[in-house]
Amino acid sequence: QVQLVESGGGLVQPGGSLRLSCAASGIILSIPDMGWYRQAPGNQRELVAIMAGDGSTNYADAVKGRFTISRGNTERTVYLQMNSLKPEDTAVYSCYANVKISRSGTGKNYWGQGTQVTVSS
C-alpha cells in the first residue's frame, strides 16, 4: 500500500507565504504524477497544481503566478511554495499522487489526509 503524508500548513496573514511538503511511502515503482488538491468548506475538491515526472506542470488559474510546485529528486516528494496568499486560499490541502507499483500494472490515484491552510488577519 501507499501512504501520502503532508506537512507545512498553518495560519498566515494575507500576503504571507507557506511551503507545503508531502512524502510518499510504500511499495512504489514510479510516480508519474504528483501534486496538490484543496477543499474549502462547502466546496468541491479542486486540483491546485500537478507535476509529471518529466517536469511538466499544470496549475489552477486561481493560483498561477503565486504558487510553485516542485518535486524532490527521489520522485517520492512534492512541495508547494505558496506566496501572496489570499483569504480565498483557505482550505485543506491534500497531496495527490498517481502511483505505479509494477511495470505491468496501471497507475493508481492516492490522496493524503490533508493539512489545513488558513489565510486570515
Short mmCIF file of all heavy atoms in Angstrom, two decimals, residues 28-76:
data_model
loop_
_atom_site.label_atom_id
_atom_site.label_comp_id
_atom_site.label_asym_id
_atom_site.label_seq_id
_atom_site.Cartn_x
_atom_site.Cartn_y
_atom_site.Cartn_z
N ILE A 28 6.62 1.32 -4.27
CA ILE A 28 6.43 2.26 -5.38
C ILE A 28 7.49 2.01 -6.44
O ILE A 28 8.68 2.02 -6.15
CB ILE A 28 6.51 3.71 -4.89
CG1 ILE A 28 5.40 3.99 -3.87
CG2 ILE A 28 6.42 4.67 -6.07
CD1 ILE A 28 5.54 5.33 -3.18
N LEU A 29 7.03 1.82 -7.65
CA LEU A 29 7.94 1.73 -8.78
C LEU A 29 8.22 3.11 -9.35
O LEU A 29 9.37 3.47 -9.60
CB LEU A 29 7.37 0.81 -9.87
CG LEU A 29 8.20 0.68 -11.14
CD1 LEU A 29 9.56 0.05 -10.83
CD2 LEU A 29 7.46 -0.13 -12.19
N SER A 30 7.16 3.87 -9.54
CA SER A 30 7.29 5.23 -10.06
C SER A 30 6.05 6.02 -9.71
O SER A 30 5.00 5.45 -9.39
CB SER A 30 7.52 5.23 -11.57
OG SER A 30 6.39 4.69 -12.25
N ILE A 31 6.18 7.34 -9.75
CA ILE A 31 5.05 8.23 -9.53
C ILE A 31 4.98 9.17 -10.72
O ILE A 31 5.62 10.22 -10.72
CB ILE A 31 5.20 9.01 -8.21
CG1 ILE A 31 5.39 8.05 -7.04
CG2 ILE A 31 3.98 9.90 -7.98
CD1 ILE A 31 5.55 8.73 -5.70
N PRO A 32 4.22 8.78 -11.74
CA PRO A 32 4.17 9.61 -12.95
C PRO A 32 3.67 11.03 -12.70
O PRO A 32 4.13 11.97 -13.36
CB PRO A 32 3.20 8.85 -13.86
CG PRO A 32 3.29 7.43 -13.38
CD PRO A 32 3.46 7.54 -11.91
N ASP A 33 2.74 11.18 -11.76
CA ASP A 33 2.18 12.49 -11.47
C ASP A 33 2.06 12.66 -9.97
O ASP A 33 1.69 11.73 -9.25
CB ASP A 33 0.80 12.68 -12.11
CG ASP A 33 0.83 12.55 -13.61
OD1 ASP A 33 1.40 13.45 -14.26
OD2 ASP A 33 0.29 11.55 -14.13
N MET A 34 2.35 13.86 -9.49
CA MET A 34 2.24 14.17 -8.08
C MET A 34 1.90 15.64 -7.93
O MET A 34 2.41 16.47 -8.67
CB MET A 34 3.55 13.85 -7.36
CG MET A 34 3.41 13.63 -5.87
SD MET A 34 4.94 12.96 -5.15
CE MET A 34 4.37 12.58 -3.48
N GLY A 35 1.01 15.93 -6.98
CA GLY A 35 0.61 17.32 -6.84
C GLY A 35 -0.27 17.56 -5.63
O GLY A 35 -0.20 16.83 -4.64
N TRP A 36 -1.08 18.61 -5.74
CA TRP A 36 -1.87 19.07 -4.61
C TRP A 36 -3.30 19.39 -5.01
O TRP A 36 -3.54 20.01 -6.06
CB TRP A 36 -1.24 20.34 -4.00
CG TRP A 36 0.12 20.10 -3.43
CD1 TRP A 36 1.31 20.21 -4.07
CD2 TRP A 36 0.41 19.70 -2.09
NE1 TRP A 36 2.34 19.91 -3.21
CE2 TRP A 36 1.81 19.59 -1.99
CE3 TRP A 36 -0.37 19.43 -0.96
CZ2 TRP A 36 2.46 19.22 -0.82
CZ3 TRP A 36 0.26 19.06 0.21
CH2 TRP A 36 1.66 18.96 0.27
N TYR A 37 -4.23 18.98 -4.17
CA TYR A 37 -5.62 19.37 -4.24
C TYR A 37 -5.95 20.20 -3.02
O TYR A 37 -5.20 20.20 -2.03
CB TYR A 37 -6.54 18.15 -4.27
CG TYR A 37 -6.63 17.42 -5.59
CD1 TYR A 37 -5.59 16.63 -6.04
CD2 TYR A 37 -7.77 17.52 -6.38
CE1 TYR A 37 -5.68 15.95 -7.25
CE2 TYR A 37 -7.87 16.85 -7.58
CZ TYR A 37 -6.82 16.06 -8.01
OH TYR A 37 -6.93 15.38 -9.20
N ARG A 38 -7.07 20.90 -3.08
CA ARG A 38 -7.55 21.60 -1.90
C ARG A 38 -9.07 21.57 -1.88
O ARG A 38 -9.72 21.45 -2.91
CB ARG A 38 -7.05 23.05 -1.86
CG ARG A 38 -7.63 23.97 -2.92
CD ARG A 38 -6.99 25.35 -2.82
NE ARG A 38 -7.54 26.28 -3.79
CZ ARG A 38 -7.09 27.51 -3.98
NH1 ARG A 38 -6.06 27.96 -3.26
NH2 ARG A 38 -7.65 28.30 -4.89
N GLN A 39 -9.61 21.69 -0.67
CA GLN A 39 -11.05 21.70 -0.50
C GLN A 39 -11.41 22.65 0.64
O GLN A 39 -10.97 22.46 1.77
CB GLN A 39 -11.59 20.31 -0.20
CG GLN A 39 -13.10 20.25 -0.16
CD GLN A 39 -13.63 18.82 -0.11
OE1 GLN A 39 -12.91 17.89 0.23
NE2 GLN A 39 -14.89 18.65 -0.47
N ALA A 40 -12.19 23.66 0.31
CA ALA A 40 -12.70 24.60 1.29
C ALA A 40 -14.08 24.14 1.75
O ALA A 40 -14.77 23.41 1.03
CB ALA A 40 -12.77 26.00 0.70
N PRO A 41 -14.51 24.55 2.94
CA PRO A 41 -15.83 24.15 3.43
C PRO A 41 -16.93 24.50 2.44
O PRO A 41 -17.00 25.63 1.94
CB PRO A 41 -15.98 24.94 4.72
CG PRO A 41 -14.58 25.15 5.19
CD PRO A 41 -13.78 25.36 3.94
N GLY A 42 -17.77 23.53 2.13
CA GLY A 42 -18.87 23.75 1.21
C GLY A 42 -18.51 23.67 -0.25
O GLY A 42 -19.40 23.78 -1.11
N ASN A 43 -17.24 23.49 -0.55
CA ASN A 43 -16.78 23.43 -1.94
C ASN A 43 -16.31 22.04 -2.31
O ASN A 43 -16.00 21.22 -1.45
CB ASN A 43 -15.65 24.43 -2.17
CG ASN A 43 -16.09 25.88 -2.03
OD1 ASN A 43 -17.27 26.19 -2.12
ND2 ASN A 43 -15.13 26.75 -1.80
N GLN A 44 -16.23 21.80 -3.61
CA GLN A 44 -15.69 20.55 -4.09
C GLN A 44 -14.17 20.59 -4.06
O GLN A 44 -13.55 21.66 -4.09
CB GLN A 44 -16.16 20.27 -5.52
CG GLN A 44 -17.64 19.96 -5.64
CD GLN A 44 -18.01 19.56 -7.05
OE1 GLN A 44 -17.60 20.19 -8.02
NE2 GLN A 44 -18.78 18.49 -7.17
N ARG A 45 -13.58 19.43 -4.00
CA ARG A 45 -12.14 19.34 -4.07
C ARG A 45 -11.67 19.76 -5.46
O ARG A 45 -12.23 19.32 -6.46
CB ARG A 45 -11.68 17.91 -3.75
CG ARG A 45 -10.18 17.73 -3.71
CD ARG A 45 -9.81 16.32 -3.29
NE ARG A 45 -10.28 15.33 -4.24
CZ ARG A 45 -10.18 14.01 -4.06
NH1 ARG A 45 -9.64 13.54 -2.94
NH2 ARG A 45 -10.63 13.18 -4.98
N GLU A 46 -10.64 20.58 -5.51
CA GLU A 46 -10.13 21.05 -6.78
C GLU A 46 -8.63 20.83 -6.87
O GLU A 46 -7.91 20.88 -5.87
CB GLU A 46 -10.45 22.53 -6.99
CG GLU A 46 -9.79 23.45 -5.97
CD GLU A 46 -10.03 24.92 -6.25
OE1 GLU A 46 -10.48 25.25 -7.37
OE2 GLU A 46 -9.77 25.75 -5.35
N LEU A 47 -8.17 20.62 -8.07
CA LEU A 47 -6.74 20.46 -8.31
C LEU A 47 -6.07 21.83 -8.25
O LEU A 47 -6.50 22.77 -8.92
CB LEU A 47 -6.49 19.81 -9.67
CG LEU A 47 -5.03 19.54 -10.02
CD1 LEU A 47 -4.42 18.53 -9.07
CD2 LEU A 47 -4.91 19.06 -11.46
N VAL A 48 -5.02 21.93 -7.46
CA VAL A 48 -4.27 23.16 -7.31
C VAL A 48 -3.08 23.19 -8.27
O VAL A 48 -2.88 24.15 -9.01
CB VAL A 48 -3.78 23.35 -5.87
CG1 VAL A 48 -2.94 24.62 -5.74
CG2 VAL A 48 -4.96 23.40 -4.91
N ALA A 49 -2.29 22.14 -8.22
CA ALA A 49 -1.10 22.06 -9.06
C ALA A 49 -0.66 20.62 -9.17
O ALA A 49 -0.84 19.84 -8.24
CB ALA A 49 0.04 22.91 -8.49
N ILE A 50 -0.09 20.27 -10.30
CA ILE A 50 0.40 18.92 -10.51
C ILE A 50 1.67 18.96 -11.34
O ILE A 50 1.82 19.82 -12.22
CB ILE A 50 -0.68 18.04 -11.19
CG1 ILE A 50 -0.27 16.58 -11.20
CG2 ILE A 50 -0.99 18.54 -12.59
CD1 ILE A 50 -1.41 15.64 -11.58
N MET A 51 2.57 18.04 -11.06
CA MET A 51 3.81 17.94 -11.82
C MET A 51 4.02 16.49 -12.23
O MET A 51 3.94 15.58 -11.41
CB MET A 51 5.00 18.44 -11.01
CG MET A 51 6.34 18.27 -11.73
SD MET A 51 7.75 18.98 -10.85
CE MET A 51 7.52 20.71 -11.27
N ALA A 52 4.31 16.28 -13.50
CA ALA A 52 4.63 14.97 -14.01
C ALA A 52 6.12 14.68 -13.82
O ALA A 52 6.90 15.57 -13.48
CB ALA A 52 4.27 14.87 -15.49
N GLY A 53 6.48 13.43 -14.03
CA GLY A 53 7.87 13.04 -13.85
C GLY A 53 8.83 13.76 -14.76
O GLY A 53 10.01 13.92 -14.41
N ASP A 54 8.36 14.20 -15.93
CA ASP A 54 9.23 14.91 -16.85
C ASP A 54 9.36 16.38 -16.52
O ASP A 54 10.02 17.12 -17.25
CB ASP A 54 8.74 14.73 -18.29
CG ASP A 54 7.36 15.33 -18.54
OD1 ASP A 54 6.79 15.94 -17.62
OD2 ASP A 54 6.85 15.19 -19.67
N GLY A 55 8.71 16.83 -15.45
CA GLY A 55 8.81 18.20 -15.02
C GLY A 55 7.71 19.12 -15.50
O GLY A 55 7.67 20.29 -15.10
N SER A 56 6.84 18.64 -16.35
CA SER A 56 5.75 19.46 -16.83
C SER A 56 4.77 19.73 -15.70
O SER A 56 4.57 18.89 -14.82
CB SER A 56 5.04 18.80 -18.01
OG SER A 56 4.49 17.55 -17.62
N THR A 57 4.15 20.89 -15.72
CA THR A 57 3.28 21.31 -14.63
C THR A 57 1.96 21.85 -15.16
O THR A 57 1.86 22.32 -16.30
CB THR A 57 3.93 22.40 -13.77
OG1 THR A 57 4.24 23.53 -14.59
CG2 THR A 57 5.20 21.88 -13.12
N ASN A 58 0.96 21.79 -14.30
CA ASN A 58 -0.33 22.42 -14.54
C ASN A 58 -0.79 23.06 -13.24
O ASN A 58 -0.66 22.46 -12.17
CB ASN A 58 -1.37 21.41 -15.03
CG ASN A 58 -1.18 21.02 -16.47
OD1 ASN A 58 -1.31 21.84 -17.37
ND2 ASN A 58 -0.85 19.75 -16.70
N TYR A 59 -1.34 24.26 -13.35
CA TYR A 59 -1.81 24.99 -12.19
C TYR A 59 -3.26 25.42 -12.39
O TYR A 59 -3.68 25.72 -13.51
CB TYR A 59 -0.98 26.26 -11.96
CG TYR A 59 0.44 26.02 -11.54
CD1 TYR A 59 1.45 25.91 -12.48
CD2 TYR A 59 0.78 25.94 -10.20
CE1 TYR A 59 2.76 25.71 -12.11
CE2 TYR A 59 2.09 25.74 -9.81
CZ TYR A 59 3.08 25.63 -10.77
OH TYR A 59 4.39 25.43 -10.39
N ALA A 60 -3.99 25.49 -11.30
CA ALA A 60 -5.30 26.11 -11.34
C ALA A 60 -5.13 27.59 -11.65
O ALA A 60 -4.16 28.23 -11.21
CB ALA A 60 -6.02 25.93 -10.01
N ASP A 61 -6.07 28.14 -12.39
CA ASP A 61 -5.98 29.55 -12.76
C ASP A 61 -5.86 30.46 -11.53
O ASP A 61 -5.17 31.48 -11.56
CB ASP A 61 -7.19 29.96 -13.58
CG ASP A 61 -7.17 29.39 -14.98
OD1 ASP A 61 -6.10 28.97 -15.45
OD2 ASP A 61 -8.25 29.36 -15.62
N ALA A 62 -6.53 30.08 -10.45
CA ALA A 62 -6.56 30.92 -9.26
C ALA A 62 -5.22 31.05 -8.58
O ALA A 62 -5.02 31.99 -7.79
CB ALA A 62 -7.60 30.38 -8.27
N VAL A 63 -4.28 30.15 -8.85
CA VAL A 63 -3.00 30.17 -8.15
C VAL A 63 -1.83 30.46 -9.06
O VAL A 63 -0.69 30.59 -8.57
CB VAL A 63 -2.75 28.86 -7.38
CG1 VAL A 63 -3.93 28.54 -6.48
CG2 VAL A 63 -2.49 27.71 -8.34
N LYS A 64 -2.05 30.58 -10.34
CA LYS A 64 -0.96 30.83 -11.28
C LYS A 64 -0.24 32.13 -10.94
O LYS A 64 -0.87 33.15 -10.67
CB LYS A 64 -1.50 30.89 -12.71
CG LYS A 64 -1.91 29.55 -13.27
CD LYS A 64 -2.43 29.68 -14.70
CE LYS A 64 -2.82 28.32 -15.26
NZ LYS A 64 -3.39 28.44 -16.62
N GLY A 65 1.07 32.06 -10.95
CA GLY A 65 1.88 33.23 -10.61
C GLY A 65 2.14 33.39 -9.14
O GLY A 65 3.00 34.21 -8.77
N ARG A 66 1.44 32.66 -8.30
CA ARG A 66 1.62 32.77 -6.85
C ARG A 66 2.15 31.49 -6.22
O ARG A 66 2.92 31.55 -5.27
CB ARG A 66 0.30 33.15 -6.18
CG ARG A 66 -0.27 34.48 -6.64
CD ARG A 66 -1.49 34.89 -5.81
NE ARG A 66 -2.59 33.93 -5.95
CZ ARG A 66 -3.10 33.20 -4.95
NH1 ARG A 66 -2.60 33.31 -3.72
NH2 ARG A 66 -4.11 32.37 -5.18
N PHE A 67 1.73 30.34 -6.75
CA PHE A 67 2.14 29.05 -6.21
C PHE A 67 3.14 28.41 -7.16
O PHE A 67 3.04 28.55 -8.38
CB PHE A 67 0.95 28.11 -6.04
CG PHE A 67 -0.04 28.50 -4.98
CD1 PHE A 67 0.02 29.74 -4.35
CD2 PHE A 67 -1.04 27.61 -4.62
CE1 PHE A 67 -0.90 30.09 -3.37
CE2 PHE A 67 -1.96 27.95 -3.64
CZ PHE A 67 -1.89 29.19 -3.02
N THR A 68 4.07 27.66 -6.60
CA THR A 68 5.05 26.93 -7.39
C THR A 68 5.18 25.51 -6.86
O THR A 68 5.43 25.30 -5.67
CB THR A 68 6.43 27.60 -7.34
OG1 THR A 68 6.33 28.95 -7.81
CG2 THR A 68 7.42 26.85 -8.23
N ILE A 69 5.00 24.55 -7.74
CA ILE A 69 5.12 23.16 -7.37
C ILE A 69 6.51 22.66 -7.76
O ILE A 69 7.07 23.07 -8.78
CB ILE A 69 4.02 22.30 -8.03
CG1 ILE A 69 4.02 20.88 -7.45
CG2 ILE A 69 4.16 22.29 -9.54
CD1 ILE A 69 2.82 20.04 -7.90
N SER A 70 7.05 21.77 -6.96
CA SER A 70 8.33 21.16 -7.26
C SER A 70 8.34 19.75 -6.70
O SER A 70 7.57 19.42 -5.80
CB SER A 70 9.49 21.97 -6.70
OG SER A 70 9.40 22.07 -5.29
N ARG A 71 9.20 18.92 -7.26
CA ARG A 71 9.33 17.55 -6.78
C ARG A 71 10.77 17.27 -6.43
O ARG A 71 11.70 17.75 -7.07
CB ARG A 71 8.85 16.56 -7.84
CG ARG A 71 7.34 16.63 -8.07
CD ARG A 71 6.87 15.65 -9.12
NE ARG A 71 7.04 14.26 -8.70
CZ ARG A 71 6.60 13.21 -9.38
NH1 ARG A 71 5.96 13.40 -10.54
NH2 ARG A 71 6.81 11.98 -8.93
N GLY A 72 10.94 16.46 -5.38
CA GLY A 72 12.26 16.08 -4.96
C GLY A 72 12.90 15.12 -5.94
O GLY A 72 12.22 14.49 -6.76
N ASN A 73 14.21 14.98 -5.83
CA ASN A 73 14.92 14.13 -6.78
C ASN A 73 14.69 12.63 -6.54
O ASN A 73 15.07 11.82 -7.38
CB ASN A 73 16.42 14.43 -6.77
CG ASN A 73 17.04 14.37 -5.38
OD1 ASN A 73 16.46 13.80 -4.47
ND2 ASN A 73 18.22 14.97 -5.24
N THR A 74 14.07 12.28 -5.42
CA THR A 74 13.72 10.88 -5.18
C THR A 74 12.43 10.48 -5.85
O THR A 74 12.10 9.31 -5.90
CB THR A 74 13.58 10.59 -3.68
OG1 THR A 74 12.44 11.29 -3.16
CG2 THR A 74 14.82 11.03 -2.92
N GLU A 75 11.68 11.44 -6.37
CA GLU A 75 10.39 11.28 -7.01
C GLU A 75 9.28 10.98 -6.01
O GLU A 75 8.11 10.93 -6.38
CB GLU A 75 10.42 10.18 -8.09
CG GLU A 75 9.26 10.26 -9.07
CD GLU A 75 9.20 9.08 -10.02
OE1 GLU A 75 9.48 7.94 -9.59
OE2 GLU A 75 8.88 9.31 -11.20
N ARG A 76 9.61 10.81 -4.75
CA ARG A 76 8.61 10.48 -3.74
C ARG A 76 8.19 11.68 -2.90
O ARG A 76 7.43 11.50 -1.94
CB ARG A 76 9.14 9.38 -2.83
CG ARG A 76 9.38 8.07 -3.56
CD ARG A 76 9.61 6.95 -2.58
NE ARG A 76 9.76 5.66 -3.26
CZ ARG A 76 9.64 4.49 -2.68
NH1 ARG A 76 9.38 4.42 -1.38
NH2 ARG A 76 9.80 3.38 -3.37
#
